[in-house]
Amino acid sequence: MAVTGILLVLFLVAHMLGNLKIFTGETAFDHYAHWLREIGTPLLPSTWFLWIQRTALLAAVLAHIGAATVLAVRARAARPVKYAHRKKVNGSYAARTMRWGGVIILLFVIYHILDLTTGHLNPQGDPGNPYGNVVADFAPERWYVTLFYTLAVVALGFHLRHGAFSAFRSLGQQTPAGERRARAAALGFAVVLCAGYLVVPFAVLTGLVA
Ligand code: HEM
């Protein structure tokens, strides 16, 4: 769970930073997107590194879901007889929504790839002009796309907050103060990541990026 989670978080941080390049203008953003396909050349042929990264990401997602399933099955096996009165589950809202949060994020990623990578669900869908695709996607009249992205990113935020909290708690001091610090650090991390993602659609929606 943790190793694959860390890999996915590294991707999320890199992707968020890359998206912020949209504020440096169309030429710079499209150049950056082109560079993503050229990483590793001339040692590797063009787009090979991208495909290696895609394979690693897919493997990490599958292993993350696999590990979550094993943990859920193990937890159920530990308590084969259901509680007659199920006590209110302890833990934060984020902790209790990990499973459905994960499903929502997975569905979002499938939609998102068809939207901004393959272009099938994008109003422009030009592989050579990712900047134009993003601007066309989050245009004011398509406010519902921004709304959908916002809901998905907030779901991602809750998921990350709990995941990061578990990681920080394992690594930090096992005391009430250590736990408070882990909670605060996880919340800070999730908020920064959500804001970093959402600033792009909202900049297009409000005309700051056009
Ligand atoms: C909300 C703001 C976001 C924006 C503006 C955005 C933008 C983009 C763009 C422009 C691409 C295509 C890149 C290219 O083909 O050159 C892309 C690809 C992708 N994005 Fe996002 N993204 C956002 C959020 C997310 C989130 C939250 C996730 C994960 C949960 C995500 C996961 C991916 C993946 C997996 C790809 C495919 C990468 C590949 O081609 O292998 N994105 N995104």
Side-chain angles (χ1 to χ4, degrees), residues 13-206:
V13 172
H15 186 35
M16 183 202 78
L17 293 175
N19 286 349
L20 292 177
K21 269 197 89 69
I22 202 140
F23 294 103
T24 60
E26 182 160 5
T27 314
F29 189 72
D30 285 355
H31 180 254
Y32 159 72
H34 177 71
W35 170 77
L36 287 176
R37 285 154 181 75
E38 299 303 317
I39 303 176
T41 56
L43 184 64
L44 296 172
S46 175
T47 75
W48 270 46
F49 180 84
L50 184 67
W51 279 104
I52 292 169
Q53 188 191 300
R54 283 172 174 166
T55 311
L57 265 181
L58 184 65
V61 169
L62 293 178
H64 199 68
I65 297 170
T69 311
V70 168
L71 286 179
V73 168
R74 217 182 272 169
R76 186 168 302 174
R79 179 73 216 188
V81 182
K82 279 206 171 138
Y83 290 108
H85 298 285
R86 197 155 184 258
K87 273 202 302 183
K88 204 171 161 290
V89 189
N90 282 326
S92 69
Y93 181 74
R96 285 181 277 120
T97 52
M98 287 311 267
R99 199 172 304 166
W100 284 108
V103 172
I104 290 169
I105 296 161
L106 186 64
L107 293 177
F108 162 75
V109 171
I110 295 169
Y111 170 85
H112 180 55
I113 288 176
L114 292 171
D115 176 12
L116 285 170
T117 303
T118 70
H120 287 92
L121 298 177
N122 189 274
Q124 176 175 283
D126 175 359
N129 182 213
Y131 183 97
N133 296 341
V134 171
V135 169
D137 210 18
F138 302 115
E141 64 275 16
R142 284 168 53 87
W143 56 269
Y144 48 89
V145 175
T146 297
L147 178 66
F148 173 57
Y149 268 74
T150 305
L151 294 176
V153 168
V154 169
L156 177 69
F158 277 113
H159 201 81
L160 278 175
R161 183 183 143 211
H162 179 68
F165 170 62
S166 307
F168 295 152
R169 192 177 45 178
S170 304
L171 296 171
Q173 279 181 310
Q174 317 289 317
T175 59
E179 191 162 317
R180 270 199 302 279
R181 273 195 295 272
R183 200 176 294 282
L187 179 65
F189 174 67
V191 167
V192 169
L193 209 98
C194 281
Y197 272 113
L198 289 181
V199 72
V200 175
F202 278 90
V204 177
L205 184 76
T206 55

